[in-house]
Amino acid sequence: MKRPRYILSSRKMGIFLMIFSFLWIYTFTNYSLFRDGGQGTKESERLKAEILEKSKQYVQALAQENSQGEIAEGFSSYDLKKTMAVLLDSILLRLSKLEKKVDAAISNGTLGATLRNITQSENQNESRENQHQPKNLSQPLVLNDDAKNDYKIEKKRDMPAEPDKKNSILTARDLILEPDHTCQYRDSELVGYVHCKGKIEWMNKYWQTDPCYSHYGVDGSDCTVAIYLSEIENWCPVLPWRKGAVNNLLHDPDAVPANIKTDKSGLYKLMTDEKFAWMKMRIDRMWESKWVPAAKSLASKQDLGNRMQKRILIHLGLLTKESGFKIAETAFSGGPLGELVQWTDIITSLYILGHDLTISTRTDILKNYMKSKGVTSKNCPVSGVRPLDLIYIDIVGLKQFKKVAGPLWNQFNCMLRVIDTFGTEPAFNVDSYARRAGTKSVWGKWNLVPQQFMTMFPHTPDNSFMGFVVENYSNNTKVMKKEKDMAVVYGKKGDMWLGSRKYLDIIREKFTLHATVYVNESGIESLLGVPSYVINHGLLKGDQVQDLLRRAKLFVGLGFPFEGPAPLEAIANGCVFLNPSFDPPKNSKNTDFFKGKPTLRELPSQHPYAERFIGKPYVHTININDATALRQALTDIQNTADLKPYLPHEYTTEGMLQRLHAYIEHQNFCNRRVEMWPPLSALQVKIASNGESCKDICMKHDLVCEPAFFKELNSVERIEKEGQMQCREKKVLDEIYPPSFTDNSACFIQNHHLLYSCAGGVKNQNRICPCRDYIRGQVALCKDCF
């Protein structure tokens, strides 16, 4: 006959707990009254150990009384131990109150020290381990955290170092009974985390489908899910009671100082592929005369000590075979050089600043490198020693990297720095918004922080300005002797000249025209569109181009290419740049070149940077179809005295090093809890008029829009303060315009942190705009930025 299962009655449980509580209080009170503090500490440890052991024996006895080792249905040993942990904490809380009464009854209060370390005992730590242990793991792993770490988990070989024991540890009572320690999010806490709710719902259902989640301590409870999604994968905000948490999933215990490098031999060991031939030629020309002096000059002005070396992967997708561009192959035969110029200067700057570089121009090299760093096809985030700190890459390489990273894309995408000539606006960057708003682009929908995109010119404040170095060898303090009637036309290929004959005929009235058009073997076909009166020198080397510009008075723009480096080179050699204006402005709607690019920016001229930041007397922006205005401008230029060479500091070698150093040290998109940069001291709030963008209103006040400050303005209180109004209606939107308000006092809050945008205006709304000052000649940096 089968024996009935033993039933744990509430009466038996109550009798045991009453006896246990009485004995505990009686023993400990007598001990506190009649033993000294020093010996008492040892005695208390013995008593606590004995009590814990008796508790364990009791639990085991309950199971053994049943012949089949079972406990009453619906009541597991795990739940009993969890209940015991809460009970013990409750008893300790009552003892703490009793201690205060005892201290008050004794004249000097000398007995209080006896109880102070009880709550930090090993017994309670063990209770907490059992409470939070993942149910399907015999050896649970730690959720990486060094503050309030309620998940005490054994360390494995590939995990970061054990959390700092000096920090307070969350008790069972804290987690279960304390209302401040909730693991549920309020809607107000999820502003900017649009995917958090969906991720929580998915994780609650499917956390057991991949052992990775259990590996990092997820056991299906609200707290383990929230901590994983906030501190491991960054989909959700960090819980308020874990604000001190630091995600050290990847750490670098062996980081070394970054020291300035002035020997280029180490750089050339990284550039052995023949694809680097043109880039190495540029480095050779500028190393001793430009780069080394610039590094020494910057080190004398700024403290470059106490910097840690960053492990940096550089992947040039434009040079890969899969891209089909053949940019390296055509560099010596009239091909585009803008991208090669910029990448050469980025690589050189990173090397001189002392960082550890790996350069890739092939997808198989990229795959092997990432595989060697632990990136596999598994979903589990890489832990242990950080494989790299930063990834400099272009848009083509970005697609290749995402394919290689696979499920781990979300762990590494914060390290990306995307070299993006024309920029990517937030409206094209966020996938969900682009689909809804119709701003699709084959180059967009990356869901990165907009400042991770780095442009050639500072035309898009939502992105970071990377820039390049303008090569010149002129003495900027001396006026150069010019040939008064000599002009060089900006156009290396014959097809760039098509449709410009009337314009060039007018310029010919006052200037002799020279060109550097590439001529192929047939010769004739290459010069179609180039008037016969133009003196063509053919494709020249860099130093030969410099010689030609030093002699010329005028540098003539044809309207294309847009925003190239050549006009700045001409100005740096004392030339005046004739900059064609566009009416209407060029954009993706009316110009094939911009169609599909992830920007709605409008170009008012061939070179907006030269127009805005340099201007007259070096830059004359003119409607080239207005013959009268063109002739007057040519007369003014010819009558202007020869100019000193001019080059904005941001396009010098020192300016490039200064800017890149600031980005590396201060831009951190992997940790949202770092100190704000630029500092808030630079913030100046402006209110845009109806339909006006933040970029435009800031520019009107000789400021620049700073997207990092948007979150400081994204609240009803701040809108009311800056707009001097009262919000009668509040809406939280996934749009590029908030924070903003209307004339009828409706206020709009931004819901998606990736949609903060300096670009764009909207009818019937006034945008609250974060502007900042900037250093003349270094627009990327504010006056307090370093």
Side-chain angles (χ1 to χ4, degrees):
M1 181 177 178
K2 186 176 179 181
R3 294 175 59 188
R5 293 190 299 177
Y6 180 81
I7 304 299
L8 180 64
S9 67
S10 59
R11 181 181 177 185
K12 291 180 180 180
M13 186 66 180
I15 293 173
F16 168 76
L17 294 179
M18 290 176 61
I19 296 173
F20 178 78
S21 302
F22 176 78
L23 290 175
W24 174 271
I25 296 172
Y26 176 81
T27 302
F28 202 81
T29 303
N30 277 276
Y31 166 76
S32 300
L33 291 172
F34 300 109
R35 295 292 186 106
D36 64 277
Q39 294 297 323
T41 301
K42 297 180 181 178
E43 182 67 9
S44 67
E45 295 295 331
R46 184 189 68 78
L47 287 172
K48 286 182 287 182
E50 182 178 341
I51 291 170
L52 180 63
E53 183 62 29
K54 293 296 183 183
S55 299
K56 289 182 179 179
Q57 292 176 7
Y58 174 72
V59 173
Q60 293 171 357
L62 290 176
Q64 291 173 356
E65 289 181 10
N66 187 327
S67 60
Q68 296 182 358
E70 297 178 349
I71 299 178
E73 188 173 356
F75 193 78
S76 67
S77 60
Y78 175 86
D79 293 326
L80 181 58
K81 287 188 284 184
K82 183 174 179 180
T83 303
M84 291 293 292
V86 177
L87 174 64
L88 289 174
D89 264 350
S90 178
I91 292 173
L92 288 175
L93 180 61
R94 296 182 184 186
L95 284 175
S96 178
K97 295 179 180 179
L98 178 62
E99 176 193 12
K100 294 179 181 179
K101 294 180 180 180
V102 173
D103 287 345
I106 301 175
S107 57
N108 295 323
T110 57
L111 299 178
T114 309
L115 300 175
R116 285 178 187 147
N117 294 320
I118 296 298
T119 57
Q120 298 175 4
S121 68
E122 293 296 329
N123 304 302
Q124 288 175 305
N125 285 344
E126 184 173 343
S127 296
R128 283 188 291 274
E129 288 175 3
N130 292 333
Q131 177 189 349
H132 300 293
Q133 178 177 323
K135 300 181 180 69
N136 60 335
L137 291 178
S138 59
Q139 286 186 316
L141 294 176
V142 87
L143 282 168
N144 303 283
D145 181 24
D146 60 359
K148 292 185 177 179
N149 196 326
D150 52 323
Y151 297 88
K152 289 284 294 177
I153 307 171
E154 293 179 22
K155 185 175 68 173
K156 286 197 173 182
R157 287 177 298 175
D158 62 342
M159 295 301 292
E162 189 173 325
D164 188 353
K165 299 252 179 102
K166 294 185 294 183
N167 292 289
S168 60
I169 296 176
L170 193 65
T171 65
R173 179 181 60 81
D174 288 332
L175 186 59
I176 297 174
L177 302 179
E178 178 59 55
D180 291 339
H181 293 160
T182 179
C183 296
Q184 303 286 339
Y185 292 107
R186 295 187 294 268
D187 288 341
S188 60
E189 295 173 328
L190 293 180
V191 173
Y193 295 86
V194 294
H195 299 292
C196 183
K197 284 186 177 180
K199 291 292 181 180
I200 290 175
E201 292 175 2
W202 187 94
M203 186 70 79
N204 285 333
K205 293 180 181 179
Y206 303 112
W207 68 271
Q208 291 178 309
T209 60
D210 195 309
C212 169
Y213 305 122
S214 297
H215 176 82
Y216 284 106
V218 178
D219 63 4
S221 65
D222 290 343
C223 286
T224 58
V225 168
I227 290 173
Y228 179 86
L229 291 175
S230 62
E231 297 176 24
I232 303 299
E233 291 200 358
N234 296 319
W235 290 109
C236 300
V238 175
L239 295 168
W241 49 274
R242 293 178 64 85
K243 286 297 184 182
V246 176
N247 181 2
N248 59 351
L249 181 65
L250 295 175
H251 65 294
D252 189 2
D254 302 317
V256 298
N259 299 313
I260 296 295
K261 297 178 183 178
T262 57
D263 181 1
K264 66 176 181 290
S265 60
L267 176 58
Y268 282 2
K269 290 179 181 179
L270 304 173
M271 305 174 71
T272 56
D273 194 298
E274 61 182 12
K275 293 179 180 179
F276 294 114
W278 189 92
M279 300 171 76
K280 290 166 71 174
M281 185 178 68
R282 176 176 170 86
I283 294 172
D284 278 336
R285 286 199 309 266
M286 300 173 61
W287 187 265
E288 295 296 337
S289 62
K290 298 292 182 182
W291 285 112
V292 174
K296 293 179 179 179
S297 176
L298 182 62
S300 68
K301 298 173 184 177
Q302 290 184 219
D303 181 12
L304 298 183
N306 301 317
R307 296 180 302 122
M308 303 311 293
Q309 188 181 76
K310 300 291 190 296
R311 284 186 286 263
I312 300 176
L313 169 64
I314 301 171
H315 181 63
L316 291 83
L318 78 166
L319 297 186
T320 61
K321 181 179 179 180
E322 291 80 0
S323 73
F325 290 155
K326 297 185 178 181
I327 291 179
E329 293 81 355
T330 60
F332 295 99
S333 57
L337 297 178
E339 290 84 357
L340 288 181
V341 166
Q342 188 177 35
W343 271 112
T344 302
D345 298 340
I346 292 171
I347 293 172
T348 306
S349 297
L350 294 172
Y351 176 81
I352 287 180
L353 288 171
H355 298 293
D356 181 14
L357 308 184
T358 299
I359 304 177
S360 164
T361 58
R362 289 164 37 190
T363 54
D364 59 330
I365 292 177
L366 177 64
K367 291 177 182 177
N368 291 335
Y369 173 81
M370 296 302 290
K371 187 176 181 180
S372 71
K373 299 302 181 181
V375 178
T376 65
S377 59
K378 296 180 180 179
N379 293 329
C380 227
V382 176
S383 60
V385 177
R386 182 183 293 272
L388 46 89
D389 298 287
L390 294 170
I391 304 167
Y392 284 81
I393 201 165
D394 56 19
I395 293 290
V396 175
L398 194 58
K399 295 184 177 182
Q400 298 166 350
F401 179 81
K402 186 170 185 178
K403 185 176 180 180
V404 171
L408 300 185
W409 163 261
N410 192 56
Q411 185 181 16
F412 289 96
N413 62 8
C414 64
M415 304 175 186
L416 294 166
R417 303 295 184 267
V418 186
I419 308 306
D420 184 12
T421 300
F422 294 99
T424 297
E425 294 179 0
F428 294 84
N429 174 51
V430 178
D431 189 9
S432 58
Y433 179 84
R435 294 180 186 277
R436 174 166 53 85
T439 53
K440 298 180 182 179
S441 168
V442 295
W443 306 109
K445 299 183 292 186
W446 289 106
N447 297 302
L448 300 176
V449 176
Q451 291 105 307
Q452 289 180 254
F453 296 97
M454 310 188 108
T455 59
M456 183 170 281
F457 289 96
H459 46 61
T460 306
D462 292 309
N463 303 150
S464 298
F465 163 49
M466 172 57 73
F468 58 95
V469 173
V470 172
E471 185 178 4
N472 82 304
Y473 300 92
S474 303
N475 187 331
N476 291 353
T477 63
K478 295 182 179 180
V479 175
M480 303 186 68
K481 184 64 177 177
K482 296 287 187 178
E483 296 182 20
K484 191 175 182 180
D485 62 347
M486 180 178 176
V488 175
V489 180
Y490 180 23
K492 292 188 300 180
K493 289 188 175 183
D495 57 4
M496 295 179 180
W497 296 62
L498 296 175
S500 301
R501 184 60 183 259
K502 292 182 179 180
Y503 167 53
L504 294 173
D505 286 346
I506 294 175
I507 297 175
R508 184 195 177 198
E509 295 172 5
K510 294 181 177 294
F511 290 88
T512 301
L513 300 179
H514 296 251
T516 59
V517 178
Y518 170 71
V519 180
N520 60 20
E521 295 179 356
S522 65
I524 299 176
E525 183 179 350
S526 299
L527 293 175
L528 289 178
V530 180
S532 58
Y533 53 73
V534 174
I535 302 171
N536 184 39
H537 299 267
L539 193 64
L540 302 177
K541 295 181 179 180
D543 53 348
Q544 295 173 321
V545 173
Q546 297 290 320
D547 289 338
L548 193 65
L549 293 175
R550 279 194 286 268
R551 292 165 47 203
K553 174 82 172 181
L554 178 65
F555 191 67
V556 179
L558 294 173
F560 186 85
F562 305 119
E563 298 180 307
L568 297 187
E569 292 183 3
I571 294 169
N573 282 285
C575 294
V576 176
F577 174 48
L578 192 61
N579 182 35
S581 64
F582 303 137
D583 186 19
K586 303 284 187 183
N587 56 49
S588 59
K589 296 179 180 180
N590 61 21
T591 305
D592 289 341
F593 180 84
F594 290 108
K595 287 183 178 179
K597 289 183 170 56
T599 176
L600 294 174
R601 187 166 64 96
E602 297 186 331
L603 271 69
S605 66
Q606 181 177 354
H607 211 288
Y609 174 86
E611 178 183 2
R612 179 192 174 190
F613 290 101
I614 300 178
K616 293 182 178 180
Y618 292 95
V619 180
H620 286 249
T621 302
I622 189 75
N623 180 358
I624 61 177
N625 295 315
D626 185 339
T628 301
L630 176 60
R631 286 188 173 92
Q632 183 60 53
L634 293 171
T635 300
D636 294 342
I637 292 169
Q638 203 165 44
N639 293 335
T640 299
D642 291 340
L643 302 172
K644 294 180 181 179
Y646 175 73
L647 180 60
H649 179 69
E650 55 203 352
Y651 285 101
T652 66
T653 45
E654 183 176 341
M656 179 85 174
L657 289 171
Q658 181 189 49
R659 184 168 58 254
L660 197 51
H661 161 65
Y663 287 153
I664 292 172
E665 296 303 312
H666 297 291
Q667 282 189 336
N668 187 338
F669 304 112
C670 294
N671 188 347
R672 296 180 185 177
R673 299 181 292 279
V674 297
E675 183 179 353
M676 175 171 284
W677 190 85
L680 272 175
S681 59
L683 173 63
Q684 298 185 39
V685 181
K686 303 297 178 184
I687 308 298
S689 58
N690 288 348
E692 188 175 30
S693 72
C694 286
K695 174 185 175 181
D696 291 340
I697 186 62
C698 292
M699 189 183 300
K700 284 182 180 179
H701 291 84
D702 195 24
L703 301 168
V704 294
C705 180
E706 179 49 65
F709 294 153
F710 267 117
K711 60 184 179 182
E712 299 298 320
L713 308 179
N714 193 42
S715 67
V716 169
E717 294 77 16
R718 198 62 188 263
I719 293 175
E720 291 178 338
K721 175 184 176 182
E722 302 298 341
Q724 298 183 353
M725 44 82 71
Q726 292 292 320
C727 295
R728 296 181 180 178
E729 181 184 5
K730 170 190 170 183
K731 292 183 179 180
V732 180
L733 304 175
D734 286 359
E735 271 291 349
I736 63 172
Y737 309 117
S740 59
F741 63 92
T742 65
D743 292 339
N744 59 359
S745 300
C747 296
F748 303 100
I749 304 297
Q750 179 61 263
N751 186 50
H752 199 311
H753 71 284
L754 297 182
L755 283 176
Y756 288 128
S757 178
C758 292
V762 59
K763 292 182 179 180
N764 302 320
Q765 285 189 36
N766 299 96
R767 301 191 61 189
I768 309 294
C769 298
C771 307
R772 65 162 171 84
D773 58 36
Y774 63 93
I775 299 173
R776 297 295 173 184
Q778 188 68 290
V779 69
L781 303 179
C782 64
K783 296 175 182 177
D784 294 335
C785 279
F786 57 89

